[in-house]
Amino acid sequence: PPTRCTDFDMAYFQSYSHVGIHEEMIKDRIRTETYRAAITQYQSSIAGKVVVDVGCGTGILSIFCALAGAKRVYAVDASEIAIQANEVVKANNLSDKVIVLHGRVEDVEIEEEVDVIISEWMGYMLLYESMLGSVVVARDRWLKPGGLILPSHASLYMAPITHTERYSESIDFWRNVYGIDMSAMLPLAKQCAFEEPSVETITGENVLTWPIVVKHVDCYTITTQELESVTARYKFTSMMRAPLHGFAFWFDVEFSGPAILPTNSHTQSLRSSITASDTNSLGSSQSKKRVKSDEVLILSTAPEEPPTHWQQTLLYFYDPIEVNQDQVIEGSVTLSQSKENARFLNIHLEYASAGRSFVKESVMR
Amino acid sequence: PPTRCTDFDMAYFQSYSHVGIHEEMIKDRIRTETYRAAITQYQSSIAGKVVVDVGCGTGILSIFCALAGAKRVYAVDASEIAIQANEVVKANNLSDKVIVLHGRVEDVEIEEEVDVIISEWMGYMLLYESMLGSVVVARDRWLKPGGLILPSHASLYMAPITHTERYSESIDFWRNVYGIDMSAMLPLAKQCAFEEPSVETITGENVLTWPIVVKHVDCYTITTQELESVTARYKFTSMMRAPLHGFAFWFDVEFSGPAILPTNSHTQSLRSSITASDTNSLGSSQSKKRVKSDEVLILSTAPEEPPTHWQQTLLYFYDPIEVNQDQVIEGSVTLSQSKENARFLNIHLEYASAGRSFVKESVMR
């Protein structure tokens, strides 16, 4: 039975009815160009095939797929923006190819199996918004065995960071305000600035050491249950002496074929035929990409990469902790869908280093 | 009887309990330095006197007044931030001078008359937030005849503007999105971008001609009834041929003594004594300042001045109108407190030029 559409879901869909949010996403060239490149790379898997675009928004990815030769694209969105997507499709004379369905993937009906699922489902910290669940529902309802999911994999990373500038700006600022000592503001200033995760752009210089992978998602196999709660233990060794201000989270997604070839022989032959017909496309075959990983298209939101509208998500401590070079920073982090509103993300961070330990709970709303 | 404290008022006060909003205001150096300069200019009217700071926030203006020699400063704020203000005052050993009152000016008790009211009450478009009403209440409850109000006067300006860049960015953008004609988005894009007033920074180059004064406020005499609805007729003559995109609103406030000397002889002598004792202060006397207007301190948020956190408020048309040089642009604008929530501002704009006319209704929430 489909999950219930809550008032929170309605508010969530409503938030996507405003044009500004789509403008911001489309204007993120890293995001949109990478999706377009992926469609080009997989053109031979899309041409003549049936595609579903989960959360189509204004319909731009659906139209890219139609222009890449898709036989039919089901553009699904539960937000009112679907009405606009339909207008755009009509104005581009693509109504015979792109079928806009205004509703949840749980509720709309598609009367055939699909070859490809495309979706831009990633939220801040990858998992915020919990939209990946909709991709899983679409996959389980409609994707042919051996079908393609774009993107196919996602990884959430975490690293300790130092960011004295940011800390000074919001916190130390109060120590001398036009000559007045307003340090009495510090406790509330820290709470207001750092209680919740903060979406902001940092650079590689803020990062104290190599990141760990908090969660690796294989879109071909992930289940919605797995997404309800994700826990990772971390153990970092600081590469420098610096004040540790907290942790940064970012993600990347990868556009690859199914990692595990299905044992079913029907789908195996389907996979082979995709690979075989792929030679004249720009992007070369999937199996090749699985081997030569430098040819796999990756959309990265890492601090050392050009900034995207996702930026990075920062979890600040209320007070910085001085760490030495080679000092070990360890603990665990749990990201779970809020029980109250599955679109919210509860973050439980445990930290221990040099005899200090604490727990920080926060919610991304 | 004091006006009722509504749920909307509670939400309004709540919005000022977050530190970030105070950080932004304090970091606006144009704002904070001008207030500090005004306190210095009027030091002789403040030293040894009783001051009330309406909406004191973190208490910075109250502390400036205490440091300028005020005998007593009542720092009033209905937001929880008053608790912080009290902590700051204590930490600065000013508890004997600065008395923080956590409540509305309608509800708190001050057992003496005050010599000076200081308040930073200005909202976007001057009148948004309707906080000037609180200054009027404080004045009518506590200010001595002939007392000083800082700032003393405020003017709201309006001018026609051209802003092709901004229009293109949000609207024309949809005409060609990665090669796809998404013009079908235009009606909703216009609505989303331009239905509500937009707070943004423009420059003098965006302004088509000299502004008109929509409303001039004398804080010594204004009544709350007068603030419920403000109407101005406008008639501009464009100084150039350009697409007219809408109107910009901005304000300035002036730090002067009462413009109309009271007829009451007691207060007249009081005024004279203030003027007489003013000669050794940095800022010279008030009567002098009324004459030499270039010595009056003004806090301006005009497009040609350095930007402040108020920026300017733009009211865009859904479609630009080509105007010729010397073309007349006329109509009227009415700003009124929303009946539903007096903190909101209803804006009724009537426009007529070259045979075209229309009405635009919007709400600043």
Side-chain angles (χ1 to χ4, degrees):
Chain A
T3 57
R4 207 165 55 85
C5 182
T6 66
D7 287 351
F8 295 116
D9 290 328
M10 295 301 284
Y12 173 68
F13 301 142
Q14 176 71 30
S15 76
Y16 277 93
S17 65
H18 195 281
V19 171
I21 192 169
H22 298 282
E23 186 187 326
E24 186 194 19
M25 290 189 294
I26 291 174
K27 282 185 172 171
D28 180 342
R29 298 196 75 92
I30 305 284
R31 165 194 179 272
T32 309
E33 296 279 21
T34 307
Y35 270 85
R36 185 159 66 164
I39 291 164
T40 303
Q41 189 173 44
Y42 287 95
Q43 185 160 13
S44 62
S45 307
I46 291 169
K49 299 290 168 57
V50 179
V51 178
V52 60
D53 177 359
V54 177
C56 67
T58 59
I60 187 165
L61 299 184
S62 295
I63 291 173
F64 284 161
C65 289
L67 297 177
K71 182 171 79 178
R72 207 160 19 256
V73 183
Y74 293 99
V76 186
D77 207 302
S79 163
E80 296 279 315
I81 200 71
I83 296 162
Q84 301 301 312
N86 197 40
E87 293 302 314
V88 172
V89 165
K90 275 198 289 185
N92 284 276
N93 299 313
L94 291 169
S95 298
D96 57 329
K97 293 206 158 167
V98 180
I99 296 150
V100 177
L101 301 172
H102 182 194
R104 299 191 306 155
V105 287
E106 287 87 345
D107 302 328
V108 301
E109 292 299 334
I110 296 177
E111 303 292 344
E112 60 184 325
E113 287 192 311
V114 307
D115 303 286
V116 181
I117 290 175
I118 191 165
S119 179
E120 197 279 78
W121 54 266
M122 298 84 74
Y124 297 127
M125 290 186 92
L126 188 65
L127 299 176
Y128 179 62
E129 298 184 36
S130 296
M131 191 179 148
L132 178 54
S134 301
V135 175
V136 172
V137 169
R139 180 197 67 196
D140 294 347
R141 286 193 71 186
W142 303 308
L143 189 66
K144 279 184 193 164
L148 179 66
I149 305 180
L150 297 175
S152 56
H153 300 82
S155 301
L156 175 63
Y157 301 90
M158 171 190 190
I161 58 114
T162 186
H163 202 344
T164 299
E165 205 174 85
R166 166 78 164 91
Y167 194 85
S168 299
E169 218 167 71
S170 305
I171 308 304
D172 296 327
F173 161 74
W174 294 102
R175 298 185 192 277
N176 180 347
V177 182
Y178 299 82
I180 300 166
D181 179 359
M182 298 185 79
S183 303
M185 293 290 298
L186 289 178
L188 188 66
K190 287 173 185 178
Q191 194 195 326
C192 286
F194 301 137
E195 187 172 26
E196 291 174 15
S198 173
V199 175
E200 54 191 270
T201 297
I202 60 168
T203 71
E205 292 185 6
N206 297 114
V207 179
L208 287 178
T209 188
W210 300 103
I212 62 142
V213 175
V214 174
K215 177 72 181 174
H216 182 74
V217 172
D218 180 338
C219 298
Y220 294 106
T221 57
I222 185 99
T223 63
T224 47
Q225 291 88 323
E226 260 183 275
L227 293 168
E228 284 168 13
S229 183
V230 165
T231 296
R233 286 205 54 80
Y234 62 81
K235 184 169 183 175
F236 298 106
T237 304
S238 181
M239 280 164 47
M240 60 191 110
R241 178 184 168 83
L244 169 66
H245 287 104
F247 296 98
F249 294 81
W250 65 84
F251 64 86
D252 59 28
V253 296
E254 188 185 316
F255 296 85
S256 305
I260 302 152
L261 288 180
T263 49
N264 178 309
S265 65
H266 162 69
T267 54
Q268 274 220 338
S269 65
L270 184 90
R271 292 271 315 140
S272 319
S273 76
I274 292 172
T275 309
S277 68
D278 211 11
T279 43
N280 64 343
S281 86
L282 204 75
S284 75
S285 78
Q286 291 159 5
S287 57
K288 195 169 152 203
K289 278 191 296 295
R290 298 305 295 167
V291 180
K292 296 198 184 177
S293 70
D294 56 329
E295 289 188 23
V296 175
L297 258 176
I298 289 177
L299 168 54
S300 170
T301 67
E304 70 271 20
E305 298 290 334
T308 70
H309 80 286
W310 285 286
Q311 304 181 75
Q312 288 83 40
T313 301
L314 283 285
L315 216 62
Y316 284 99
F317 300 154
Y318 292 119
D319 294 291
I321 296 167
E322 289 296 330
V323 299
N324 292 312
Q325 195 179 327
D326 298 328
Q327 185 171 327
V328 171
I329 299 160
E330 61 186 325
S332 67
V333 64
T334 299
L335 308 175
S336 49
Q337 289 174 6
S338 159
K339 294 264 179 292
E340 168 212 0
N341 176 354
R343 302 291 174 182
F344 290 174
L345 199 60
N346 289 335
I347 304 163
H348 174 94
L349 180 80
E350 295 191 14
Y351 168 88
S353 186
R356 289 185 58 161
S357 69
F358 60 81
V359 171
K360 182 172 174 177
E361 302 273 5
S362 50
V363 184
M364 194 157 196
R365 291 164 212 280
Chain B
T3 56
R4 205 165 54 86
C5 182
T6 65
D7 287 351
F8 294 116
D9 291 327
M10 295 300 285
Y12 173 68
F13 300 141
Q14 176 71 29
S15 75
Y16 278 93
S17 64
H18 195 281
V19 171
I21 193 169
H22 298 282
E23 184 187 327
E24 185 193 20
M25 291 189 293
I26 292 174
K27 283 186 172 170
D28 180 342
R29 298 197 75 90
I30 305 284
R31 165 195 179 273
T32 310
E33 297 277 23
T34 306
Y35 270 84
R36 185 160 64 164
I39 291 164
T40 303
Q41 189 172 45
Y42 287 95
Q43 185 161 15
S44 61
S45 307
I46 291 168
K49 300 290 170 58
V50 179
V51 178
V52 59
D53 177 359
V54 177
C56 67
T58 58
I60 187 164
L61 299 184
S62 296
I63 291 173
F64 284 161
C65 290
L67 296 177
K71 183 170 77 177
R72 206 157 22 256
V73 184
Y74 294 98
V76 185
D77 208 303
S79 163
E80 296 279 315
I81 200 72
I83 296 163
Q84 301 301 311
N86 198 41
E87 294 301 313
V88 173
V89 165
K90 276 197 288 183
N92 284 275
N93 300 313
L94 291 168
S95 297
D96 58 328
K97 295 206 158 166
V98 181
I99 296 150
V100 177
L101 300 171
H102 182 193
R104 298 190 308 154
V105 285
E106 288 87 346
D107 302 328
V108 300
E109 294 300 336
I110 296 178
E111 304 291 344
E112 60 183 326
E113 287 194 309
V114 307
D115 303 284
V116 181
I117 291 176
I118 191 164
S119 180
E120 198 280 78
W121 53 266
M122 300 85 75
Y124 297 127
M125 290 187 92
L126 188 65
L127 300 176
Y128 179 62
E129 298 184 35
S130 295
M131 191 178 147
L132 178 53
S134 301
V135 175
V136 172
V137 169
R139 180 196 70 197
D140 295 347
R141 288 193 70 186
W142 303 307
L143 190 66
K144 279 184 193 164
L148 180 66
I149 305 181
L150 296 177
S152 56
H153 299 82
S155 300
L156 176 64
Y157 301 91
M158 170 190 189
I161 58 114
T162 186
H163 203 343
T164 299
E165 205 174 85
R166 166 79 163 91
Y167 194 85
S168 299
E169 219 167 71
S170 306
I171 308 304
D172 295 328
F173 161 74
W174 294 103
R175 297 185 193 278
N176 181 346
V177 182
Y178 299 82
I180 300 166
D181 179 357
M182 297 185 81
S183 302
M185 293 292 297
L186 288 178
L188 187 66
K190 288 174 185 176
Q191 194 195 325
C192 286
F194 300 139
E195 186 173 28
E196 292 175 15
S198 173
V199 175
E200 53 191 272
T201 297
I202 60 168
T203 72
E205 293 187 4
N206 297 113
V207 180
L208 288 178
T209 187
W210 299 103
I212 62 144
V213 174
V214 174
K215 177 70 181 174
H216 182 74
V217 173
D218 180 338
C219 297
Y220 293 106
T221 58
I222 186 95
T223 62
T224 47
Q225 291 87 327
E226 261 184 272
L227 293 168
E228 284 168 13
S229 183
V230 165
T231 296
R233 285 206 54 80
Y234 61 82
K235 183 170 183 174
F236 298 106
T237 305
S238 180
M239 280 165 43
M240 59 190 110
R241 176 186 170 82
L244 169 66
H245 287 104
F247 295 98
F249 295 81
W250 65 85
F251 65 88
D252 58 28
V253 296
E254 189 185 316
F255 296 84
S256 304
I260 302 152
L261 288 182
T263 49
N264 177 310
S265 65
H266 161 68
T267 53
Q268 273 219 340
S269 66
L270 184 88
R271 290 277 312 142
S272 320
S273 75
I274 290 171
T275 309
S277 69
D278 213 12
T279 43
N280 64 345
S281 87
L282 204 75
S284 76
S285 78
Q286 291 159 7
S287 55
K288 195 169 150 204
K289 277 191 296 296
R290 299 305 295 166
V291 179
K292 296 197 182 176
S293 69
D294 56 328
E295 289 190 25
V296 175
L297 257 177
I298 288 177
L299 168 54
S300 170
T301 67
E304 68 272 19
E305 298 291 334
T308 70
H309 80 285
W310 285 287
Q311 306 181 72
Q312 288 83 39
T313 302
L314 282 285
L315 217 62
Y316 283 99
F317 301 153
Y318 292 120
D319 294 290
I321 296 166
E322 288 296 329
V323 299
N324 293 311
Q325 194 180 326
D326 298 330
Q327 185 170 325
V328 170
I329 299 159
E330 60 185 326
S332 67
V333 65
T334 299
L335 308 176
S336 49
Q337 289 173 6
S338 161
K339 294 264 180 292
E340 169 213 358
N341 175 354
R343 303 290 174 182
F344 290 174
L345 198 60
N346 289 334
I347 305 163
H348 174 94
L349 180 79
E350 295 191 13
Y351 168 88
S353 186
R356 290 185 60 161
S357 70
F358 59 81
V359 171
K360 182 173 173 175
E361 303 273 5
S362 49
V363 185
M364 194 155 195
R365 292 165 212 280

